[in-house]
């Protein structure tokens, strides 16, 4: 796999991270229910760290972080709608990181993506727990 192709995959990952950061931050601002709001804010900070790690990998490969993002869909208004949307985003991120880990041959990059993947799995679990608690 050429460097340019790895850079393209890592930039796709950054696109997803930025989408998550913007949606999680905005939703945390407008969510009145405190525990889910704080969780969204906390996870947004993790996604910023992921963006930083991905950007460092891209720059090390001689590329430029694209910093693009998709049109933002915040989910249905209210904590429950937001959490459902965030769960969907984490599931999408998990599938994408698994795919990219399987494609990228570089061990160091794989390891970093594996670390991110494990954190996305924690995010998914956390958002699901918050959604369950709202339903009780
Ligand atoms: Fe992330
Ligand atoms: Fe995440």
């Amino acid at each position: 796999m050429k460097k340019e192709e790895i850079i393209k995959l890592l930039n796709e990952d950054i696109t997803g991270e930025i989408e998550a950061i913007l949606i999680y931050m905005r939703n945390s601002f407008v969510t009145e229910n405190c525990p889910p709001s704080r969780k969204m804010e906390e996870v947004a900070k993790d996604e910023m760290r992921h963006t930083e790690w991905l950007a460092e990998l891209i720059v090390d490969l001689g590329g430029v972080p694209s910093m693009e993002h998709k049109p933002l869909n915040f989910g249905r208004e209210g904590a429950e709608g937001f959490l459902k949307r965030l769960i969907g985003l984490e599931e999408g991120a998990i599938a994408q990181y698994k795919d990219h880990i399987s494609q990228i041959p570089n061990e160091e990059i794989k390891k970093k993506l594996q670390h991110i993947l494990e954190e996305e799995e924690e995010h998914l679990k956390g958002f699901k727990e918050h959604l369950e608690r709202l339903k009780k």
Side-chain angles (χ1 to χ4, degrees):
M1 180 177 253
K2 284 185 194 157
K3 269 187 184 181
E4 288 70 29
E5 289 169 283
I6 299 177
I7 291 167
K8 188 172 165 280
L9 293 179
L10 295 174
N11 265 323
E12 285 172 16
D13 294 333
I14 285 194
T15 298
E17 294 289 348
I18 291 174
E19 183 185 15
I21 293 165
L22 296 175
I23 292 174
Y24 297 3
M25 280 178 65
R26 181 271 191 192
N27 285 357
S28 80
F29 297 148
V30 298
T31 300
E32 284 181 13
N33 190 317
C34 262
S37 174
R38 251 183 267 129
K39 182 71 186 168
M40 290 173 203
E41 191 190 343
E42 175 197 315
V43 174
K45 288 175 186 167
D46 284 346
E47 313 301 14
M48 283 180 219
R49 248 187 321 108
H50 296 169
T51 304
E52 195 182 339
W53 292 342
L54 292 164
E56 281 168 4
L57 291 173
I58 289 169
V59 170
D60 286 348
L61 288 166
V64 178
S66 61
M67 307 313 274
E68 283 167 7
H69 70 80
K70 293 176 193 160
L72 303 177
N73 165 7
F74 299 107
R76 196 166 43 77
E77 291 300 316
E80 192 175 329
F82 292 158
L83 285 167
K84 283 182 180 164
R85 172 72 182 130
L86 274 42
I87 286 167
L89 283 167
E90 292 294 339
E91 286 170 342
I94 288 167
Q96 184 166 309
Y97 280 117
K98 282 183 178 166
D99 175 50
H100 290 182
I101 289 166
S102 75
Q103 285 192 58
I104 293 172
N106 178 306
E107 278 310 316
E108 189 200 340
I109 297 174
K110 265 186 194 301
K111 236 171 99 183
K112 201 56 143 183
L113 296 188
Q114 186 63 39
H115 184 172
I116 296 176
L117 172 63
E118 283 160 20
E119 293 196 1
E120 308 303 9
E121 281 166 345
E122 280 303 308
H123 296 162
L124 176 62
K125 199 168 145 248
F127 287 144
K128 280 184 172 172
E129 283 167 6
H130 277 273
L131 183 60
E132 279 311 304
R133 256 176 257 151
L134 278 188
K135 285 178 176 171
K136 276 174 194 163

